Amino acid sequence: MARTVIYSMSMSLDGYIVGPDGGFDWSVPDEEVFQASIDEVRGLGVHLLGRNLYETMLYWETADQDSSLDDKELEFADIWNRLPKLVFSRTLAVVQGNYGLASGSLADEVRRLKAESEAGDIAIGGATLAAEAAAAGVIDEYRVRVYPVLVGGGIPYFPGPQHLSGHQRQIDLEQVETRTFSSGVVYLRYRVVR
């Protein structure tokens, strides 16, 4: 079975993954949403991310030493730290933990990973990297957790029409799953129609 390439992020109702001040405290998941996120990460075989998301997620490398974490946070840290991750960056020369630096283009790396017989989906995190993946036509599924908040600006889930390509081609999607959490967060999962 072929590996699925997914782009999965939290988003405000007005379409942003990070607010105008660079913050995303509005997207801190409650226990129910966090468990769904843990389950999603558990199904991954590799995670591709850009430098900004890499730097944000470095926290989890030593999170198990934080005595204030609960059991679910420790479970996430364990799963995340064991997961192979590949960082795309023009500025980093070295990464730490279970991260590697990508040597090829995003499209080349995705093709290589899809050709491997490894299990688990391929996740792409971060709007800039996902825009590049969408333009290259390598995303198979879009997964978004929509939070009931308007942040008024920041980094959009899709950074402008160029995410589709230079000629702004249309990408048709098929709805696969919808789930509404008790907190009002809505999970949407769409498969790219090919």
Side-chain angles (χ1 to χ4, degrees):
M1 184 169 160
R3 299 173 95 176
T4 300
V5 179
I6 63 171
Y7 172 37
S8 180
M9 296 287 287
S10 296
M11 178 181 81
S12 64
L13 184 60
D14 54 348
Y16 297 95
I17 62 173
V18 175
D21 62 354
F24 50 91
D25 56 337
W26 50 267
S27 67
V28 172
D30 65 6
E31 187 174 322
E32 186 183 22
V33 175
F34 192 51
Q35 182 61 56
S37 297
I38 290 171
D39 294 341
E40 184 174 285
V41 172
R42 187 179 281 115
L44 299 178
V46 63
H47 200 291
L48 313 180
L49 55 165
R51 181 187 54 80
N52 287 339
L53 187 56
Y54 160 72
E55 289 174 349
T56 298
M57 296 304 287
L58 272 178
Y59 163 78
W60 293 102
E61 287 295 312
T62 57
D64 60 350
Q65 299 167 20
D66 185 343
S67 61
S68 70
L69 294 187
D70 64 26
D71 290 343
K72 287 294 174 194
E73 291 167 318
L74 290 171
E75 178 184 4
F76 176 81
D78 179 58
I79 294 166
W80 180 258
N81 287 334
R82 285 186 284 118
L83 177 67
K85 295 167 284 290
L86 196 55
V87 179
F88 290 81
S89 174
R90 292 179 193 87
T91 58
L92 294 174
V94 59
V95 290
Q96 49 188 342
N98 200 13
Y99 292 86
L101 275 172
S103 57
S105 72
L106 176 60
D108 289 343
E109 292 287 357
V110 168
R111 280 191 285 277
R112 179 185 64 77
L113 291 165
K114 284 188 97 164
E116 292 178 351
S117 61
E118 301 294 324
D121 292 334
I122 301 166
I124 295 177
T128 303
L129 195 63
E132 185 180 335
V138 298
I139 296 177
D140 299 312
E141 285 190 9
Y142 291 86
R143 300 177 185 180
V144 60
R145 290 167 302 282
V146 181
Y147 279 73
V149 62
L150 304 172
V151 298
I155 298 174
Y157 183 87
F158 294 112
Q162 70 276 11
H163 77 276
L164 295 176
S165 77
H167 57 279
Q168 299 179 10
R169 65 183 166 85
Q170 176 176 310
I171 297 176
D172 293 321
L173 304 173
E174 170 190 15
Q175 186 175 0
V176 176
E177 183 181 356
T178 300
R179 179 177 176 190
T180 302
F181 294 95
S182 58
S183 61
V185 172
V186 178
Y187 173 74
L188 303 169
R189 180 178 166 204
Y190 292 94
R191 180 177 300 128
V192 174
V193 176
R194 300 206 196 286

